[in-house]
Amino acid sequence: DKRGYMWIGTYNGGVGVFYGKNFQFYTKENGLCSNNITALCKDKNGNIWIGTYKGIEIYDGKKFKHIETKDSVFNNDDANVIRDIICDHKGNMWVATEECVKLFDTNPHWFGTKKFENLKLTHRKVYKLFEDSKGNIWLGTKRGKTDGFDMYNGKTIQHFVLPIKFTSGQTQFAEDQNGKIWVGVNQFGDNPKTTIFTIDKDSVNGFTAPLFNQFSTNDLLF
């Protein structure tokens, strides 16, 4: 964070903050809405956004502020299950939930929200968000629910179809130093494996080196 401390999300243990020598854990007893942490991100103002199974908690260095992500359009509990959060180059916060993708304004005085169901995503359940160096937002959908993934260029949604059909896959993204987008798909189920693809203009190409194991961290990194 802006003070140099490391934040770590846990499953059923809240958020751990490493202060250089020891950890301090924040849980429901300290004001969190849930101890199951699914995402962490820092906004342009230095606030920490904490995704949980029950919405978002925003920590400003002193206290937690709770944000509900379900609304009159998506008013069930799944709309409060946060899967990923990123801060784009404009300072906007993208939030992927079990029901839709939302864009939050990070003005320090209020939190606006724009629903993105009008962009006609291939599937509204998005598990992974990634911004490339051109400002495009890549959206990996929930495993087993789509034949590929989407990219938002600021105006329109483009859908990319995977050349291999996955019965249950989860998508990850990375960009190398040459600006090439790499896509990794974890296949779950009885035959778990990982396959890597690259993006060439409008097509998805398979990467020839075979991988025999799943991602250990569900991420790609350059």
Side-chain angles (χ1 to χ4, degrees), residues 73-111:
V73 178
F74 300 112
N75 195 30
N76 55 52
D77 289 339
D78 283 349
N80 260 336
V81 178
I82 308 302
R83 290 303 179 185
D84 202 7
I85 304 174
I86 63 170
C87 182
D88 69 16
H89 70 286
K90 297 178 181 179
N92 297 312
M93 304 300 292
W94 291 72
V95 178
T97 81
E98 276 284 305
E99 286 295 338
C100 63
V101 175
K102 293 192 174 186
L103 184 64
F104 285 79
D105 189 335
T106 54
N107 185 298
H109 301 295
W110 65 282
F111 292 96

Side-chain angles (χ1 to χ4, degrees), residues 43-146:
D43 69 19
K44 64 181 181 181
N45 303 309
N47 303 313
I48 303 298
W49 289 53
I50 305 167
T52 76
Y53 283 2
K54 295 184 178 180
I56 300 170
E57 296 287 343
I58 303 175
Y59 184 70
D60 63 3
K62 297 180 180 179
K63 62 183 183 299
F64 294 99
K65 176 182 176 63
H66 182 66
I67 302 292
E68 290 275 330
T69 48
K70 63 181 181 180
D71 52 30
S72 59
V73 178
F74 300 112
N75 195 30
N76 55 52
D77 289 339
D78 283 349
N80 260 336
V81 178
I82 308 302
R83 290 303 179 185
D84 202 7
I85 304 174
I86 63 170
C87 182
D88 69 16
H89 70 286
K90 297 178 181 179
N92 297 312
M93 304 300 292
W94 291 72
V95 178
T97 81
E98 276 284 305
E99 286 295 338
C100 63
V101 175
K102 293 192 174 186
L103 184 64
F104 285 79
D105 189 335
T106 54
N107 185 298
H109 301 295
W110 65 282
F111 292 96
T113 176
K114 299 177 182 177
K115 296 185 293 294
F116 273 73
E117 67 272 9
N118 61 320
L119 289 183
K120 297 182 180 179
L121 295 175
T122 305
H123 198 277
R124 68 176 185 267
K125 296 177 182 287
V126 173
Y127 266 42
K128 193 66 178 179
L129 298 165
F130 177 77
E131 183 183 27
D132 65 23
S133 59
K134 296 179 181 178
N136 300 314
I137 304 296
W138 297 80
L139 306 103
T141 53
K142 184 177 181 180
R143 64 190 188 190
K145 292 294 184 179
T146 182

